[in-house]
Amino acid sequence: PNSEGAPRRFDGGYIGGQLRSSGVLEAVRVCRLAWPHRLAHAAFLRRFGVVRGRAWLAKIVVAMEGAKAAARAQPAVASALPMGAESVACVSGLGSAGVSASVNMDKERDEQGFTSMCASACVEVVREVGLGSEQFAIGRTKLFLRPEALAELERCRIAKIGSFAYEIQRIARGRAVRTHQRLRADSATRVQRAWRRRNCRARFVWLKRCATVVQAFWRRRLACAA
């Protein structure tokens, strides 16, 4: 990329002029002025939910799974109605169309609840980082971020993951030290046991020799007295 067409020669000014003339730099500038980073609520929580902590993330995941299960269960309600349910609904003034409309309303309500739950969770994560309201915007299904906001989120995410790594290392080192200390204690116990056994054996041999000498002396005295 140069004006002479020479190989392996990079001309920054020449390429900058090309990008400026083609409007790429202006498009990037306009994109940065708006919301260049757009993430779905679930994708945002999967990537940056760890910033709020593992306990909070686990609670949010459980709540989201429950909301999803409720939303998936709604279509099965109409098919699970007994044969006489439609006649009962007709008598009550609803009819089969009314039952389907009621099921659809419940499904829509569950989906709205799930969406609002994800949106509020995203706001909690962003507030945890300390971003202002001008750095992000919440949509119905997506979260819009400024470039500096995404950079700050990535920095906090890396720091949080680093703290988890430090915690894992601390636990691993503590376990290794405890294992080494236990092995040292077991080795010291075995050495002490062997040393006590040797001392007891030596003392027993010495006492047995002393008893033999005393018995021999006593028997000789008795023999002389006889």
Side-chain angles (χ1 to χ4, degrees):
N2 53 76
S3 58
E4 290 82 8
R8 297 184 180 181
R9 181 179 174 185
F10 187 88
D11 190 350
Y14 180 76
I15 293 181
Q18 285 184 338
L19 294 176
R20 194 176 300 106
S21 300
S22 60
V24 175
L25 296 180
E26 185 66 19
V28 172
R29 187 185 68 82
V30 172
C31 185
R32 288 177 64 88
L33 289 176
W35 308 100
H37 305 292
R38 306 169 185 181
L39 298 173
H41 293 164
F44 178 82
L45 291 176
R46 279 196 301 269
R47 182 164 184 82
F48 299 107
V50 69
V51 174
R52 284 278 292 168
R54 290 175 296 178
W56 180 88
L57 183 59
K59 182 178 69 174
I60 290 297
V61 169
V62 171
M64 290 173 61
E65 290 297 331
K68 283 184 179 180
R72 286 194 300 265
Q74 287 299 331
V77 174
S79 60
L81 289 174
M83 295 298 295
E86 293 186 0
S87 60
V88 173
C90 292
V91 171
S92 60
L94 291 176
S96 58
V99 173
S100 300
S102 176
V103 171
N104 292 333
M105 289 177 59
D106 293 339
K107 180 182 178 181
E108 185 177 357
R109 190 184 309 112
D110 291 336
E111 290 179 353
Q112 290 178 356
F114 176 74
T115 303
S116 62
M117 181 191 306
C118 292
S120 61
C122 292
V123 172
E124 290 184 22
V125 173
V126 174
R127 295 300 186 189
E128 180 71 19
V129 178
L131 298 178
S133 58
E134 69 281 357
Q135 299 294 325
F136 70 96
I138 292 290
R140 186 175 181 275
T141 59
K142 290 185 178 181
L143 177 69
F144 302 89
L145 296 168
R146 301 284 189 189
E148 55 274 12
L150 184 63
E152 182 66 18
L153 283 168
E154 288 288 352
R155 186 191 65 79
C156 294
R157 176 177 176 270
I158 292 174
K160 182 64 72 171
I161 293 176
S163 67
F164 292 159
Y166 295 151
E167 184 178 357
I168 292 173
Q169 291 175 356
R170 179 182 60 81
I171 294 173
R173 291 194 186 102
R175 182 177 180 182
V177 169
R178 287 191 296 271
T179 302
H180 182 66
Q181 186 66 24
R182 186 168 59 251
L183 291 176
R184 290 184 60 183
D186 294 342
S187 300
T189 302
R190 286 196 295 270
V191 171
Q192 292 173 356
R193 184 168 59 245
W195 183 255
R196 291 192 188 99
R197 184 170 59 248
R198 180 179 180 276
N199 288 340
C200 290
R201 186 181 295 112
R203 182 175 177 81
F204 174 76
V205 172
W206 179 77
L207 289 175
K208 184 177 180 181
R209 187 180 298 114
C210 292
T212 303
V213 171
V214 171
Q215 290 175 357
F217 175 77
W218 184 253
R219 291 193 185 99
R220 186 168 60 249
R221 182 178 179 182
L222 292 177
C224 292

